[in-house]
Amino acid sequence: MLDLALNVSLKKMTTYHIGGEAKSFVLSNSQAELTAALKWCDGNLFPWFLIGYGSNILVADEGFPGLVIKLAGEFTSIEFDDNSRVISIGAAVMLPKLANECAKRGISGFEGLCGIPGTVGAAVRINAGTKEGEVKDLFVSADILDEQGNVRTLSSNDMGFGHRTSLLMQNRWIVLRSRFSYGLETESAKIFAQMLSHRASRKAKQPSNPKNCGSVFKPANGRAAGWYIEQCGLKGRRIGDAMIATEHANWIVNLGAASASDVKLLIRLAQDVVKERFGVLLEREVEYVPEDLIGVSSNEL
């Protein structure tokens, strides 16, 4: 029996603090519970969506017309195998927590993850990263649940990693657990010092307003998207309570009461102005929910 909550607000489940209600919501603490939730959706022709930390999505003002699933319980475990030098990580583990646990053990290579607000499962799906490196650099394999309810193990070669993309973005497969390799070990104090430096560097370049989704657009033609937007004089441009950040032009912040519609109009404005001036169409990195979900039509709202 699923322990469903009805008409749950999604605003506080996203870093944008934007979005309507989920028709229903459930926490899945195990693979068995997750499978049961998906079977229930399939049997009732009910759309579903898996939410992590909500840091790379924009939820529609109308909300989500089906079941929102959040992983917990066994999906939050981290296991170190010093013989194989591989870390096995549940999909719901937060990236900063993973970086901290590695630092405590003197394991280097994960410092760059300390400032990324997201879960391991989502990070694998989009190949998250920074200038210091991406998920694919450490990735060994992942156990995923496919549409038929089968568990598959995908290697790095299977994943089709690219800039902020992977094979998983082309289907509705769910990351259950991932394995990363680790090599060099050093003093914990040195790693923590590097992490502090990473966080300070990110903070200096990012908007002070935390209500954002991170980078809105992907790089284009070898240039950062923010460069194009800044050259077009769009820093500080505002629609409703959504504003292109003055600190970084590839970030849009919620000044307090922004709607998803405000953000979408501002995104479209940036795309149109950049296209007109440079002939470049900026591709979104932020995902629209439910519009961008495979198998879920926006007309279901």
Side-chain angles (χ1 to χ4, degrees):
M1 186 69 179
L2 295 180
D3 185 16
L4 297 180
L6 303 179
N7 302 321
V8 176
S9 174
L10 297 174
K11 282 188 177 182
K12 292 187 178 179
M13 293 189 196
T14 74
T15 54
Y16 251 139
H17 286 223
I18 290 174
E21 294 181 341
K23 190 170 184 179
S24 54
F25 173 83
V26 69
L27 279 177
S28 290
N29 293 294
S30 66
Q31 184 179 327
E33 291 183 3
L34 173 60
T35 300
L38 295 174
K39 284 184 177 179
W40 181 85
C41 289
D42 186 51
N44 290 279
L45 300 178
F46 214 53
W48 61 270
F49 168 58
L50 188 74
I51 194 166
Y53 190 63
S55 57
N56 196 48
I57 61 174
L58 178 66
V59 176
D61 298 313
E62 298 84 356
F64 186 73
L67 177 65
V68 172
I69 306 169
K70 191 173 182 66
L71 302 182
E74 70 179 35
F75 297 107
T76 62
S77 68
I78 303 175
E79 300 170 5
F80 293 85
D81 187 333
D82 291 331
N83 291 321
S84 64
R85 304 184 74 77
V86 168
I87 312 170
S88 178
I89 313 150
V93 172
M94 291 294 296
L95 294 173
K97 179 181 178 181
L98 173 61
N100 281 336
E101 291 301 315
C102 289
K104 289 177 185 177
R105 290 171 173 260
I107 296 172
S108 62
F110 294 80
E111 299 88 330
L113 302 178
C114 69
I116 301 177
T119 62
V120 169
V124 168
R125 180 175 177 270
I126 69 169
N127 186 31
T130 65
K131 65 179 182 179
E132 286 80 23
E134 299 176 312
V135 162
K136 68 179 179 63
D137 301 327
L138 304 165
F139 183 87
V140 175
S141 65
D143 297 333
I144 63 94
L145 190 68
D146 68 18
E147 293 98 332
Q148 288 73 43
N150 301 313
V151 177
R152 304 187 186 190
T153 299
L154 302 181
S155 69
S156 183
N157 290 335
D158 297 326
M159 288 293 292
F161 284 126
H163 183 81
R164 303 298 175 266
T165 190
S166 77
L167 171 70
L168 302 183
M169 295 189 71
Q170 303 170 25
N171 50 56
R172 309 248 20 223
W173 295 353
I174 297 173
V175 177
L176 304 174
R177 177 164 290 272
S178 303
R179 285 165 287 276
F180 292 171
S181 63
Y182 61 93
L184 296 175
E185 297 185 41
T186 186
E187 296 177 12
S188 291
K190 291 183 179 180
I191 299 176
F192 278 116
Q194 290 176 331
M195 287 167 60
L196 284 173
S197 176
H198 284 310
R199 290 192 181 102
S201 177
R202 286 175 66 87
K203 186 176 180 179
K205 299 174 184 176
Q206 296 175 356
S208 56
N209 185 336
K211 294 180 181 180
N212 61 69
C213 74
S215 296
V216 174
F217 300 106
K218 298 179 181 180
N221 290 352
R223 285 190 182 275
W227 181 86
Y228 292 104
I229 298 169
E230 184 171 357
Q231 292 301 307
C232 291
L234 293 177
K235 272 189 173 182
R237 181 65 65 90
R238 178 173 172 175
I239 295 179
D241 255 8
M243 184 181 77
I244 295 176
T246 56
E247 302 97 329
H248 194 308
N250 196 25
W251 294 54
I252 293 176
V253 297
N254 174 6
L255 297 176
S259 66
S261 297
D262 292 338
V263 177
K264 290 174 183 177
L265 286 171
L266 203 51
I267 286 174
R268 183 59 183 268
L269 172 67
Q271 288 176 317
D272 288 347
V273 173
V274 169
K275 176 70 172 177
E276 182 177 355
R277 177 167 176 183
F278 293 101
V280 172
L281 178 60
L282 295 179
E283 182 182 355
R284 277 189 289 113
E285 188 170 314
V286 60
E287 294 185 76
Y288 291 169
V289 175
E291 296 96 317
D292 290 345
L293 299 181
I294 298 170
V296 178
S297 172
S298 59
N299 62 20
E300 292 180 291
L301 289 175

